[in-house]
mmCIF file of all heavy atoms in Angstrom:
data_model
loop_
_atom_site.group_PDB
_atom_site.id
_atom_site.type_symbol
_atom_site.label_atom_id
_atom_site.label_comp_id
_atom_site.label_asym_id
_atom_site.label_seq_id
_atom_site.Cartn_x
_atom_site.Cartn_y
_atom_site.Cartn_z
ATOM 1 N N GLU A 14 21.308 16.756 33.428
ATOM 2 C CA GLU A 14 22.499 17.418 33.910
ATOM 3 C C GLU A 14 23.647 16.425 33.792
ATOM 4 O O GLU A 14 24.757 16.801 33.287
ATOM 5 C CB GLU A 14 22.320 17.838 35.363
ATOM 6 C CG GLU A 14 21.376 19.089 35.524
ATOM 7 C CD GLU A 14 20.987 19.409 36.973
ATOM 8 O OE1 GLU A 14 21.066 18.419 37.731
ATOM 9 O OE2 GLU A 14 20.800 20.642 37.157
ATOM 10 N N LEU A 15 23.474 15.245 34.227
ATOM 11 C CA LEU A 15 24.496 14.238 34.164
ATOM 12 C C LEU A 15 25.004 14.009 32.622
ATOM 13 O O LEU A 15 26.129 13.855 32.345
ATOM 14 C CB LEU A 15 24.108 12.915 34.727
ATOM 15 C CG LEU A 15 24.025 12.945 36.218
ATOM 16 C CD1 LEU A 15 23.392 11.623 36.769
ATOM 17 C CD2 LEU A 15 25.332 13.231 36.862
ATOM 18 N N LEU A 16 24.035 13.835 31.738
ATOM 19 C CA LEU A 16 24.313 13.654 30.414
ATOM 20 C C LEU A 16 25.031 14.848 29.787
ATOM 21 O O LEU A 16 25.954 14.673 28.886
ATOM 22 C CB LEU A 16 23.032 13.408 29.567
ATOM 23 C CG LEU A 16 22.407 11.977 29.760
ATOM 24 C CD1 LEU A 16 21.068 11.908 29.075
ATOM 25 C CD2 LEU A 16 23.302 10.877 29.383
ATOM 26 N N LEU A 17 24.681 16.026 30.176
ATOM 27 C CA LEU A 17 25.271 17.311 29.704
ATOM 28 C C LEU A 17 26.766 17.259 30.074
ATOM 29 O O LEU A 17 27.773 17.594 29.327
ATOM 30 C CB LEU A 17 24.560 18.441 30.179
ATOM 31 C CG LEU A 17 25.238 19.830 29.680
ATOM 32 C CD1 LEU A 17 25.166 19.940 28.183
ATOM 33 C CD2 LEU A 17 24.473 20.978 30.386
ATOM 34 N N VAL A 18 27.072 16.966 31.417
ATOM 35 C CA VAL A 18 28.467 16.960 31.862
ATOM 36 C C VAL A 18 29.207 15.844 31.192
ATOM 37 O O VAL A 18 30.385 16.120 30.811
ATOM 38 C CB VAL A 18 28.402 16.716 33.431
ATOM 39 C CG1 VAL A 18 29.807 16.548 33.913
ATOM 40 C CG2 VAL A 18 27.827 18.009 34.086
ATOM 41 N N LEU A 19 28.708 14.702 30.985
ATOM 42 C CA LEU A 19 29.371 13.612 30.317
ATOM 43 C C LEU A 19 29.769 14.004 28.898
ATOM 44 O O LEU A 19 30.793 13.593 28.345
ATOM 45 C CB LEU A 19 28.588 12.305 30.429
ATOM 46 C CG LEU A 19 28.522 11.654 31.784
ATOM 47 C CD1 LEU A 19 27.661 10.464 31.771
ATOM 48 C CD2 LEU A 19 29.950 11.203 32.182
ATOM 49 N N THR A 20 28.758 14.675 28.242
ATOM 50 C CA THR A 20 29.052 15.121 26.765
ATOM 51 C C THR A 20 30.182 16.073 26.856
ATOM 52 O O THR A 20 31.028 16.028 25.936
ATOM 53 C CB THR A 20 27.750 15.676 26.270
ATOM 54 O OG1 THR A 20 26.729 14.780 26.347
ATOM 55 C CG2 THR A 20 27.927 16.176 24.850
ATOM 56 N N LEU A 21 30.217 17.003 27.727
ATOM 57 C CA LEU A 21 31.268 18.000 27.703
ATOM 58 C C LEU A 21 32.682 17.313 28.010
ATOM 59 O O LEU A 21 33.625 17.688 27.392
ATOM 60 C CB LEU A 21 30.964 19.123 28.733
ATOM 61 C CG LEU A 21 29.882 20.074 28.479
ATOM 62 C CD1 LEU A 21 29.592 20.922 29.666
ATOM 63 C CD2 LEU A 21 30.242 20.876 27.209
ATOM 64 N N VAL A 22 32.735 16.388 28.953
ATOM 65 C CA VAL A 22 33.934 15.707 29.256
ATOM 66 C C VAL A 22 34.347 14.959 28.017
ATOM 67 O O VAL A 22 35.550 14.855 27.668
ATOM 68 C CB VAL A 22 33.710 14.792 30.445
ATOM 69 C CG1 VAL A 22 34.898 13.827 30.604
ATOM 70 C CG2 VAL A 22 33.513 15.606 31.704
ATOM 71 N N ALA A 23 33.465 14.250 27.281
ATOM 72 C CA ALA A 23 33.809 13.546 26.065
ATOM 73 C C ALA A 23 34.315 14.420 25.050
ATOM 74 O O ALA A 23 35.301 14.096 24.277
ATOM 75 C CB ALA A 23 32.651 12.622 25.600
ATOM 76 N N MET A 24 33.689 15.582 24.850
ATOM 77 C CA MET A 24 34.260 16.580 23.807
ATOM 78 C C MET A 24 35.642 16.991 24.176
ATOM 79 O O MET A 24 36.556 17.197 23.269
ATOM 80 C CB MET A 24 33.279 17.674 23.765
ATOM 81 C CG MET A 24 31.966 17.291 23.047
ATOM 82 S SD MET A 24 30.740 18.689 23.091
ATOM 83 C CE MET A 24 31.560 19.961 22.304
ATOM 84 N N LEU A 25 35.942 17.292 25.380
ATOM 85 C CA LEU A 25 37.268 17.783 25.782
ATOM 86 C C LEU A 25 38.272 16.642 25.567
ATOM 87 O O LEU A 25 39.406 16.990 25.218
ATOM 88 C CB LEU A 25 37.219 18.251 27.272
ATOM 89 C CG LEU A 25 36.503 19.621 27.514
ATOM 90 C CD1 LEU A 25 36.388 19.867 29.025
ATOM 91 C CD2 LEU A 25 37.099 20.760 26.748
ATOM 92 N N ALA A 26 37.873 15.475 25.926
ATOM 93 C CA ALA A 26 38.917 14.295 25.694
ATOM 94 C C ALA A 26 39.123 14.162 24.315
ATOM 95 O O ALA A 26 40.220 13.843 23.859
ATOM 96 C CB ALA A 26 38.243 13.010 26.268
ATOM 97 N N GLY A 27 38.092 14.318 23.438
ATOM 98 C CA GLY A 27 38.313 14.126 21.989
ATOM 99 C C GLY A 27 39.236 15.168 21.420
ATOM 100 O O GLY A 27 39.941 14.995 20.477
ATOM 101 N N LEU A 28 39.220 16.492 22.031
ATOM 102 C CA LEU A 28 40.117 17.458 21.548
ATOM 103 C C LEU A 28 41.556 17.195 22.051
ATOM 104 O O LEU A 28 42.555 17.580 21.446
ATOM 105 C CB LEU A 28 39.666 18.849 22.051
ATOM 106 C CG LEU A 28 38.290 19.320 21.532
ATOM 107 C CD1 LEU A 28 37.842 20.601 22.155
ATOM 108 C CD2 LEU A 28 38.454 19.621 20.012
#
Side-chain angles (χ1 to χ4, degrees):
E14 291 170 330
L15 289 174
L16 289 174
L17 180 62
V18 169
L19 289 174
T20 302
L21 289 173
V22 168
M24 287 174 55
L25 289 174
L28 292 173

